[in-house]
Coordinates of all heavy atoms in Angstrom, one line a residue:
M1120 N -27.6 7.2 3.6 CA -26.6 6.6 2.9 C -25.3 7.6 2.6 O -24.2 7.1 2.6 CB -27.2 6.2 1.6 CG -26.2 5.3 0.7 SD -25.9 3.8 1.6 CE -25.7 2.8 0.1
E1121 N -25.7 8.8 2.5 CA -24.6 9.8 2.3 C -23.6 9.9 3.5 O -22.4 10.0 3.2 CB -25.3 11.2 2.0 CG -24.2 12.2 1.6 CD -24.8 13.5 1.3 OE1 -25.8 13.6 0.6 OE2 -24.3 14.6 1.7
L1122 N -24.2 9.7 4.6 CA -23.4 9.8 5.8 C -22.5 8.6 6.0 O -21.2 8.7 6.3 CB -24.2 9.9 7.1 CG -23.5 10.0 8.4 CD1 -22.6 11.2 8.4 CD2 -24.4 10.0 9.6
A1123 N -23.0 7.5 5.4 CA -22.1 6.2 5.5 C -21.0 6.3 4.4 O -19.9 5.9 4.7 CB -22.9 5.0 5.2
D1124 N -21.2 6.9 3.3 CA -20.3 7.1 2.3 C -19.2 8.1 2.8 O -18.0 7.9 2.5 CB -20.9 7.6 1.0 CG -21.7 6.7 0.3 OD1 -21.6 5.5 0.6 OD2 -22.6 7.0 -0.6
R1125 N -19.6 9.2 3.5 CA -18.6 10.1 4.0 C -17.7 9.4 5.1 O -16.6 9.7 5.2 CB -19.3 11.3 4.6 CG -20.0 12.1 3.4 CD -20.6 13.3 3.9 NE -19.6 14.3 4.1 CZ -19.8 15.5 4.6 NH1 -21.0 16.0 4.9 NH2 -18.9 16.4 4.6
A1126 N -18.4 8.6 5.9 CA -17.7 7.9 7.0 C -16.6 7.0 6.2 O -15.4 6.9 6.8 CB -18.6 7.2 7.9
I1127 N -17.1 6.2 5.3 CA -16.1 5.3 4.7 C -14.9 6.0 4.0 O -13.8 5.7 4.0 CB -16.9 4.4 3.7 CG1 -17.8 3.4 4.5 CG2 -15.9 3.6 2.8 CD1 -18.6 2.7 3.6
G1128 N -15.3 7.1 3.4 CA -14.3 8.0 2.7 C -13.2 8.5 3.7 O -12.1 8.6 3.5
F1129 N -13.9 9.0 4.9 CA -13.0 9.5 6.0 C -12.0 8.4 6.4 O -10.8 8.7 6.7 CB -13.8 10.1 7.1 CG -12.9 10.6 8.2 CD1 -12.3 11.9 8.1 CD2 -12.9 9.9 9.4 CE1 -11.4 12.3 9.1 CE2 -12.0 10.3 10.4 CZ -11.4 11.5 10.3
I1130 N -12.5 7.2 6.6 CA -11.8 6.1 7.2 C -10.6 5.7 6.1 O -9.5 5.5 6.6 CB -12.6 4.9 7.5 CG1 -13.5 5.2 8.7 CG2 -11.8 3.7 7.8 CD1 -14.6 4.2 9.0
L1131 N -11.0 5.7 4.9 CA -10.0 5.3 3.8 C -8.9 6.4 3.8 O -7.8 6.2 3.5 CB -10.7 5.1 2.5 CG -11.5 3.8 2.3 CD1 -12.3 3.8 1.1 CD2 -10.7 2.6 2.6
A1132 N -9.3 7.7 3.8 CA -8.4 8.8 3.7 C -7.4 8.7 4.9 O -6.2 8.9 4.8 CB -9.1 10.1 3.6
S1133 N -8.0 8.5 6.1 CA -7.1 8.4 7.4 C -6.2 7.2 7.2 O -4.9 7.4 7.5 CB -8.0 8.2 8.5 OG -8.9 9.2 8.7
I1134 N -6.6 6.1 6.7 CA -5.7 5.0 6.6 C -4.6 5.3 5.6 O -3.4 5.0 5.8 CB -6.4 3.6 6.1 CG1 -7.4 3.3 7.3 CG2 -5.5 2.6 5.7 CD1 -8.3 2.1 6.9
S1135 N -4.9 5.9 4.5 CA -4.0 6.3 3.5 C -2.9 7.3 4.1 O -1.7 7.1 3.8 CB -4.6 7.0 2.3 OG -5.5 6.0 1.7
V1136 N -3.4 8.2 4.8 CA -2.4 9.2 5.3 C -1.5 8.6 6.5 O -0.4 8.9 6.4 CB -3.2 10.4 6.0 CG1 -2.3 11.3 6.9 CG2 -3.9 11.3 4.9
T1137 N -2.1 7.6 7.1 CA -1.3 6.9 8.1 C -0.2 6.1 7.4 O 0.9 6.2 7.9 CB -2.1 6.0 9.0 OG1 -3.1 6.8 9.6 CG2 -1.4 5.3 10.1
I1138 N -0.6 5.3 6.4 CA 0.4 4.5 5.8 C 1.4 5.4 5.1 O 2.7 5.1 5.1 CB -0.4 3.6 4.7 CG1 -1.1 2.5 5.4 CG2 0.7 3.0 3.8 CD1 -2.0 1.7 4.5
F1139 N 1.1 6.5 4.4 CA 2.0 7.5 3.8 C 2.9 8.0 4.8 O 4.2 8.0 4.6 CB 1.3 8.5 3.1 CG 2.2 9.5 2.5 CD1 2.8 9.3 1.3 CD2 2.4 10.8 3.0 CE1 3.7 10.1 0.7 CE2 3.2 11.7 2.5 CZ 3.8 11.4 1.3
T1140 N 2.5 8.5 5.9 CA 3.3 9.0 7.0 C 4.4 8.0 7.5 O 5.5 8.2 7.7 CB 2.4 9.5 8.2 OG1 1.6 10.5 7.7 CG2 3.4 10.2 9.2
Y1141 N 3.8 6.8 7.8 CA 4.7 5.7 8.2 C 5.8 5.3 7.3 O 6.9 5.2 7.6 CB 3.9 4.5 8.6 CG 4.6 3.2 9.0 CD1 4.8 3.1 10.4 CD2 5.0 2.3 8.2 CE1 5.5 2.0 10.9 CE2 5.7 1.1 8.7 CZ 6.0 1.0 10.0 OH 6.7 -0.1 10.4
Y1142 N 5.4 5.2 5.9 CA 6.4 4.8 4.9 C 7.4 5.9 4.8 O 8.6 5.7 4.6 CB 5.6 4.5 3.6 CG 6.5 4.0 2.5 CD1 7.0 2.7 2.6 CD2 7.0 4.7 1.5 CE1 7.9 2.1 1.6 CE2 7.9 4.3 0.6 CZ 8.3 2.9 0.6 OH 9.2 2.5 -0.3
T1143 N 6.9 7.2 4.8 CA 7.9 8.4 4.6 C 8.9 8.3 5.7 O 10.0 8.6 5.5 CB 7.0 9.6 4.5 OG1 6.0 9.5 3.4 CG2 7.9 10.8 4.3
F1144 N 8.4 8.3 7.0 CA 9.2 8.2 8.1 C 10.3 7.1 7.9 O 11.5 7.2 8.3 CB 8.5 8.2 9.4 CG 9.3 8.3 10.7 CD1 9.7 9.6 11.0 CD2 9.8 7.3 11.3 CE1 10.5 9.8 12.1 CE2 10.6 7.4 12.4 CZ 10.9 8.7 12.9
W1145 N 9.8 5.9 7.6 CA 10.6 4.7 7.5 C 11.7 4.9 6.5 O 12.9 4.4 6.7 CB 9.6 3.6 7.2 CG 10.3 2.2 6.9 CD1 11.4 1.8 7.6 CD2 9.8 1.1 6.2 NE1 11.6 0.4 7.3 CE2 10.6 0.0 6.5 CE3 8.7 1.0 5.5 CZ2 10.4 -1.2 5.9 CZ3 8.4 -0.3 5.0 CH2 9.3 -1.4 5.2
V1146 N 11.4 5.4 5.4 CA 12.4 5.5 4.2 C 13.2 6.8 4.3 O 14.4 6.7 3.9 CB 11.6 5.5 2.8 CG1 12.4 5.7 1.6 CG2 10.9 4.1 2.7
I1147 N 12.7 7.9 4.6 CA 13.5 9.1 4.6 C 14.2 9.5 5.8 O 15.3 9.9 5.8 CB 12.5 10.3 4.1 CG1 12.0 10.0 2.6 CG2 13.2 11.6 4.1 CD1 11.1 11.0 2.1
I1148 N 13.5 9.3 6.9 CA 14.0 9.8 8.2 C 14.7 8.8 8.9 O 15.9 9.0 9.5 CB 12.9 10.4 9.1 CG1 12.3 11.7 8.4 CG2 13.4 10.8 10.5 CD1 11.1 12.3 9.0
L1149 N 14.3 7.5 9.0 CA 14.9 6.5 9.8 C 16.3 6.1 9.5 O 17.1 5.9 10.3 CB 14.1 5.2 9.7 CG 14.3 4.1 10.7 CD1 13.9 4.7 12.1 CD2 13.5 2.9 10.5
P1150 N 16.9 6.3 8.2 CA 18.2 6.0 8.0 C 19.2 6.9 8.6 O 20.4 6.7 8.9 CB 18.4 6.2 6.4 CG 17.0 5.9 5.9 CD 16.1 6.4 6.9
F1151 N 18.7 8.2 9.1 CA 19.5 9.1 9.8 C 19.5 9.0 11.2 O 20.2 9.8 12.0 CB 19.1 10.6 9.3 CG 19.3 10.8 7.9 CD1 18.1 10.9 7.0 CD2 20.6 10.9 7.2 CE1 18.4 11.1 5.6 CE2 20.7 11.2 5.9 CZ 19.6 11.2 5.2
V1152 N 18.8 8.0 11.7 CA 18.6 7.8 13.2 C 19.6 6.6 13.6 O 19.8 5.7 12.7 CB 17.2 7.4 13.6 CG1 17.1 7.0 15.1 CG2 16.2 8.5 13.2
D1153 N 20.2 6.9 14.7 CA 21.2 5.8 15.1 C 20.6 4.4 15.1 O 19.4 4.2 15.5 CB 21.7 6.1 16.5 CG 22.6 7.3 16.6 OD1 23.2 7.6 15.5 OD2 22.6 8.0 17.6
K1154 N 21.4 3.3 14.8 CA 20.8 2.0 14.7 C 20.4 1.4 16.0 O 19.5 0.6 16.1 CB 22.0 1.0 14.1 CG 22.4 1.4 12.7 CD 21.3 0.9 11.8 CE 21.8 1.1 10.3 NZ 20.8 1.0 9.4
D1155 N 21.0 1.9 17.1 CA 20.6 1.3 18.5 C 19.5 2.1 19.1 O 19.0 1.9 20.2 CB 21.9 1.3 19.4 CG 22.5 2.7 19.6 OD1 22.1 3.6 18.8 OD2 23.3 2.8 20.5
H1156 N 18.8 3.1 18.4 CA 17.7 3.9 18.9 C 16.5 3.0 19.0 O 16.2 2.2 18.1 CB 17.5 5.1 18.0 CG 16.8 6.2 18.7 ND1 15.4 6.2 18.7 CD2 17.1 7.3 19.4 CE1 15.0 7.3 19.3 NE2 16.0 8.0 19.8
F1157 N 15.7 3.3 20.1 CA 14.5 2.4 20.3 C 13.5 2.5 19.2 O 12.6 1.6 18.9 CB 13.8 2.8 21.6 CG 13.0 4.1 21.5 CD1 11.7 4.0 21.2 CD2 13.7 5.3 21.8 CE1 10.9 5.3 21.2 CE2 12.9 6.5 21.7 CZ 11.7 6.5 21.5
V1158 N 13.5 3.7 18.4 CA 12.5 3.7 17.4 C 12.6 2.6 16.2 O 11.7 2.4 15.5 CB 12.6 5.2 16.7 CG1 13.7 5.3 15.8 CG2 11.3 5.6 16.1
H1159 N 13.8 2.1 16.1 CA 14.0 1.1 15.0 C 13.3 -0.2 15.4 O 13.0 -1.0 14.4 CB 15.5 0.7 14.9 CG 16.3 1.8 14.1 ND1 16.3 1.6 12.8 CD2 17.0 2.7 14.5 CE1 17.1 2.6 12.2 NE2 17.6 3.3 13.4
N1160 N 12.7 -0.3 16.6 CA 11.9 -1.5 17.0 C 10.6 -1.5 16.4 O 9.9 -2.5 16.2 CB 11.8 -1.6 18.4 CG 13.2 -1.8 19.2 OD1 14.1 -2.4 18.6 ND2 13.2 -1.5 20.4
Y1161 N 10.1 -0.3 15.9 CA 8.7 -0.2 15.3 C 8.8 -0.3 13.8 O 7.7 -0.3 13.2 CB 8.2 1.2 15.7 CG 8.1 1.4 17.2 CD1 8.9 2.3 17.8 CD2 7.1 0.7 17.8 CE1 8.7 2.4 19.2 CE2 6.9 0.8 19.2 CZ 7.8 1.8 19.9 OH 7.6 1.8 21.3
F1162 N 9.9 -0.6 13.2 CA 9.9 -0.7 11.7 C 10.7 -1.9 11.3 O 11.5 -2.5 12.0 CB 10.8 0.6 11.2 CG 10.1 1.9 11.4 CD1 10.4 2.6 12.5 CD2 9.2 2.4 10.6 CE1 9.8 3.9 12.8 CE2 8.6 3.6 10.8 CZ 8.9 4.4 11.9
L1163 N 10.2 -2.4 10.0 CA 10.9 -3.5 9.5 C 12.2 -3.1 9.1 O 12.5 -2.0 8.9 CB 10.0 -4.1 8.3 CG 8.7 -4.7 8.7 CD1 7.9 -5.0 7.4 CD2 8.9 -6.0 9.5
P1164 N 13.1 -4.1 8.7 CA 14.4 -3.8 8.1 C 14.2 -3.0 6.8 O 13.2 -3.1 6.1 CB 15.0 -5.1 7.8 CG 14.3 -6.0 8.7 CD 13.0 -5.6 8.9
Q1165 N 15.2 -2.2 6.5 CA 15.2 -1.4 5.2 C 15.0 -2.1 3.9 O 14.4 -1.5 2.9 CB 16.5 -0.5 5.1 CG 16.7 0.5 6.1 CD 15.6 1.6 6.0 OE1 14.7 1.9 6.9 NE2 15.7 2.4 5.0
E1166 N 15.4 -3.3 3.9 CA 15.2 -4.1 2.6 C 13.6 -4.2 2.2 O 13.3 -4.2 1.0 CB 15.7 -5.5 2.7 CG 17.2 -5.5 2.9 CD 17.6 -5.4 4.4 OE1 16.8 -5.8 5.2 OE2 18.8 -4.8 4.6
Y1167 N 12.8 -4.3 3.2 CA 11.4 -4.4 3.0 C 10.7 -3.1 2.5 O 9.7 -3.1 1.9 CB 10.7 -4.8 4.3 CG 11.0 -6.2 4.7 CD1 11.9 -6.5 5.7 CD2 10.4 -7.3 3.9 CE1 12.1 -7.8 6.0 CE2 10.7 -8.5 4.3 CZ 11.6 -8.8 5.4 OH 11.8 -10.1 5.7
A1168 N 11.4 -2.0 2.6 CA 11.0 -0.7 2.2 C 10.9 -0.7 0.6 O 10.1 0.0 0.0 CB 11.9 0.5 2.6
I1169 N 11.7 -1.5 0.0 CA 11.6 -1.7 -1.5 C 10.7 -2.9 -1.9 O 10.0 -2.8 -2.8 CB 13.1 -1.8 -2.1 CG1 13.9 -0.5 -1.8 CG2 13.0 -2.0 -3.6 CD1 13.4 0.8 -2.3
L1170 N 11.0 -4.0 -1.1 CA 10.2 -5.2 -1.5 C 8.7 -5.1 -1.5 O 8.0 -5.6 -2.3 CB 10.8 -6.4 -0.7 CG 12.3 -6.8 -1.0 CD1 12.7 -7.9 -0.1 CD2 12.5 -7.2 -2.3
L1171 N 8.3 -4.5 -0.3 CA 6.8 -4.4 -0.1 C 6.1 -3.6 -1.2 O 5.1 -4.2 -1.8 CB 6.6 -3.9 1.3 CG 6.8 -4.8 2.5 CD1 6.6 -4.2 3.7 CD2 6.0 -6.1 2.3
P1172 N 6.6 -2.4 -1.6 CA 5.9 -1.7 -2.7 C 6.0 -2.4 -4.1 O 5.0 -2.5 -4.8 CB 6.5 -0.3 -2.8 CG 7.1 -0.2 -1.5 CD 7.5 -1.5 -0.9
V1173 N 7.2 -3.1 -4.3 CA 7.3 -3.8 -5.6 C 6.3 -5.0 -5.5 O 5.6 -5.3 -6.6 CB 8.8 -4.4 -5.7 CG1 8.9 -5.4 -6.8 CG2 9.6 -3.2 -6.0
Y1174 N 6.3 -5.8 -4.5 CA 5.3 -6.9 -4.4 C 3.8 -6.4 -4.6 O 3.0 -7.0 -5.3 CB 5.5 -7.6 -3.1 CG 4.5 -8.8 -2.9 CD1 4.6 -9.9 -3.6 CD2 3.4 -8.6 -2.0 CE1 3.7 -10.9 -3.4 CE2 2.6 -9.7 -1.9 CZ 2.7 -10.8 -2.5 OH 1.8 -11.8 -2.4
A1175 N 3.4 -5.3 -3.9 CA 2.2 -4.8 -4.1 C 1.9 -4.3 -5.5 O 0.8 -4.5 -6.0 CB 2.0 -3.6 -3.1
G1176 N 2.9 -3.7 -6.1 CA 2.6 -3.2 -7.6 C 2.5 -4.5 -8.4 O 1.6 -4.4 -9.4
V1177 N 3.3 -5.5 -8.3 CA 3.2 -6.6 -9.2 C 1.9 -7.3 -9.0 O 1.2 -7.8 -9.9 CB 4.4 -7.6 -9.0 CG1 4.2 -9.0 -9.6 CG2 5.6 -7.0 -9.4
S1178 N 1.5 -7.4 -7.7 CA 0.2 -8.0 -7.4 C -1.0 -7.3 -8.0 O -2.0 -7.8 -8.6 CB -0.1 -8.1 -5.9 OG 1.0 -8.9 -5.3
L1179 N -0.9 -5.9 -8.0 CA -1.9 -5.1 -8.6 C -2.0 -5.2 -10.1 O -3.1 -5.4 -10.8 CB -1.7 -3.6 -8.3 CG -2.7 -2.6 -8.9 CD1 -4.0 -2.8 -8.3 CD2 -2.2 -1.1 -8.6
I1180 N -0.8 -5.3 -10.7 CA -0.8 -5.5 -12.2 C -1.4 -6.8 -12.6 O -2.1 -6.9 -13.6 CB 0.7 -5.3 -12.7 CG1 1.1 -3.8 -12.6 CG2 0.8 -5.8 -14.1 CD1 2.6 -3.5 -12.9
C1181 N -1.0 -7.9 -11.8 CA -1.6 -9.2 -12.0 C -3.1 -9.3 -11.9 O -3.8 -9.8 -12.8 CB -0.9 -10.2 -11.2 SG 0.8 -10.5 -11.5
F1182 N -3.5 -8.6 -10.9 CA -5.0 -8.6 -10.7 C -5.7 -7.8 -11.7 O -6.8 -8.3 -12.3 CB -5.3 -7.9 -9.3 CG -6.8 -7.7 -9.1 CD1 -7.6 -8.7 -8.7 CD2 -7.3 -6.4 -9.2 CE1 -9.0 -8.5 -8.7 CE2 -8.7 -6.1 -9.1 CZ -9.5 -7.2 -8.8
L1183 N -5.2 -6.7 -12.2 CA -5.7 -5.9 -13.3 C -5.8 -6.6 -14.5 O -6.7 -6.6 -15.4 CB -5.2 -4.5 -13.4 CG -5.4 -3.5 -12.2 CD1 -4.5 -2.3 -12.5 CD2 -6.8 -3.3 -12.3
S1184 N -4.6 -7.4 -14.8 CA -4.6 -8.1 -16.0 C -5.6 -9.2 -16.1 O -6.3 -9.5 -17.1 CB -3.2 -8.8 -16.2 OG -2.2 -7.8 -16.3
V1185 N -5.7 -10.0 -15.0 CA -6.8 -11.0 -14.9 C -8.2 -10.5 -15.1 O -9.1 -11.0 -15.8 CB -6.6 -11.8 -13.6 CG1 -7.8 -12.7 -13.4 CG2 -5.3 -12.6 -13.6
F1186 N -8.4 -9.4 -14.4 CA -9.8 -8.6 -14.5 C -10.0 -8.2 -15.9 O -11.2 -8.5 -16.4 CB -9.8 -7.5 -13.5 CG -11.1 -6.8 -13.6 CD1 -12.2 -7.3 -13.0 CD2 -11.2 -5.5 -14.2 CE1 -13.5 -6.6 -13.1 CE2 -12.4 -4.8 -14.2 CZ -13.5 -5.4 -13.7
I1187 N -9.1 -7.6 -16.6 CA -9.3 -7.1 -17.9 C -9.5 -8.3 -18.9 O -10.4 -8.3 -19.7 CB -8.2 -6.2 -18.4 CG1 -8.2 -4.9 -17.7 CG2 -8.1 -6.0 -19.9 CD1 -7.0 -4.1 -17.8
G1188 N -8.7 -9.2 -18.7 CA -8.9 -10.6 -19.6 C -10.2 -11.2 -19.3 O -10.9 -11.6 -20.2
Y1189 N -10.8 -11.2 -18.1 CA -12.1 -11.8 -17.8 C -13.1 -10.9 -18.4 O -14.1 -11.5 -19.0 CB -12.3 -11.8 -16.2 CG -13.6 -12.2 -15.8 CD1 -14.0 -13.6 -15.9 CD2 -14.6 -11.4 -15.4 CE1 -15.3 -14.0 -15.5 CE2 -15.8 -11.6 -15.0 CZ -16.2 -13.0 -15.0 OH -17.5 -13.4 -14.7
V1190 N -13.0 -9.6 -18.4 CA -14.0 -8.8 -18.9 C -14.0 -8.9 -20.5 O -15.1 -9.0 -21.1 CB -13.8 -7.3 -18.5 CG1 -14.7 -6.4 -19.3 CG2 -14.1 -7.1 -17.1
M1191 N -12.8 -9.0 -21.0 CA -12.8 -9.2 -22.5 C -13.4 -10.5 -23.0 O -14.1 -10.6 -23.9 CB -11.3 -9.1 -23.0 CG -10.7 -7.7 -22.8 SD -9.0 -7.6 -23.2 CE -8.9 -8.1 -24.9
L1192 N -13.1 -11.6 -22.2 CA -13.7 -12.9 -22.5 C -15.2 -12.8 -22.4 O -16.0 -13.4 -23.2 CB -13.1 -14.0 -21.7 CG -11.6 -14.4 -22.1 CD1 -11.1 -15.4 -21.0 CD2 -11.6 -14.9 -23.5
K1193 N -15.7 -12.3 -21.3 CA -17.1 -12.2 -21.1 C -17.8 -11.3 -22.1 O -18.9 -11.8 -22.6 CB -17.3 -11.5 -19.7 CG -18.8 -11.6 -19.3 CD -18.9 -11.1 -17.8 CE -20.3 -11.1 -17.3 NZ -20.4 -10.6 -16.0
S1194 N -17.2 -10.2 -22.5 CA -17.8 -9.5 -23.6 C -17.8 -10.2 -25.0 O -18.7 -10.0 -25.8 CB -17.2 -8.1 -23.7 OG -15.9 -8.2 -24.2
K1195 N -16.8 -11.0 -25.2 CA -16.7 -11.8 -26.5 C -17.8 -12.8 -26.5 O -18.4 -13.1 -27.6 CB -15.3 -12.3 -26.6 CG -14.9 -12.9 -27.9 CD -13.6 -13.4 -27.9 CE -13.2 -13.8 -29.3 NZ -11.8 -14.3 -29.4
K1196 N -18.1 -13.4 -25.4 CA -19.1 -14.5 -25.4 C -20.5 -13.8 -25.6 O -21.4 -14.5 -26.2 CB -19.1 -15.2 -24.0 CG -17.9 -16.1 -23.9 CD -17.9 -16.9 -22.5 CE -16.8 -17.7 -22.4 NZ -16.7 -18.4 -21.1
K1197 N -20.7 -12.6 -25.2 CA -22.0 -12.0 -25.3 C -22.3 -11.7 -26.8 O -23.4 -11.8 -27.3 CB -22.1 -10.7 -24.6 CG -22.5 -10.8 -23.2 CD -22.7 -9.4 -22.6 CE -23.1 -9.5 -21.2 NZ -23.3 -8.2 -20.5
K1198 N -21.2 -11.3 -27.6 CA -21.4 -11.0 -29.0 C -21.6 -12.3 -29.8 O -22.2 -12.2 -30.8 CB -20.1 -10.2 -29.5 CG -20.1 -8.8 -29.0 CD -18.8 -8.2 -29.6 CE -18.7 -6.8 -29.0 NZ -17.5 -6.1 -29.5
A1199 N -21.1 -13.3 -29.5 CA -21.1 -14.6 -30.2 C -22.4 -15.3 -29.9 O -23.5 -15.1 -29.6 CB -20.0 -15.5 -29.9

C-alpha cells in the first residue's frame, strides 16, 4: 500500500509541476513573444489566464461552503 501511495503522490506532484510550468510560461513569458510565433498555437488567449483561475477559485469556495454546510447540518441532526 505504501508503494501505491508514493506512486499517487508522485503523479499528483508531477501534474502540479506541469500545470505550474505551463501557466507560468503562459502568463509571464508568452506576452514577450511575437504574436505570429508558432508557440502561441499551444496556448489559449490571454483573457483565459485570469478567467480560469477565478472560475476555479469560485468553484472551490462554493464546494467548500456546501461541504461545510452539509457537515454542520449533519452534526446538528446527531445532537437532536
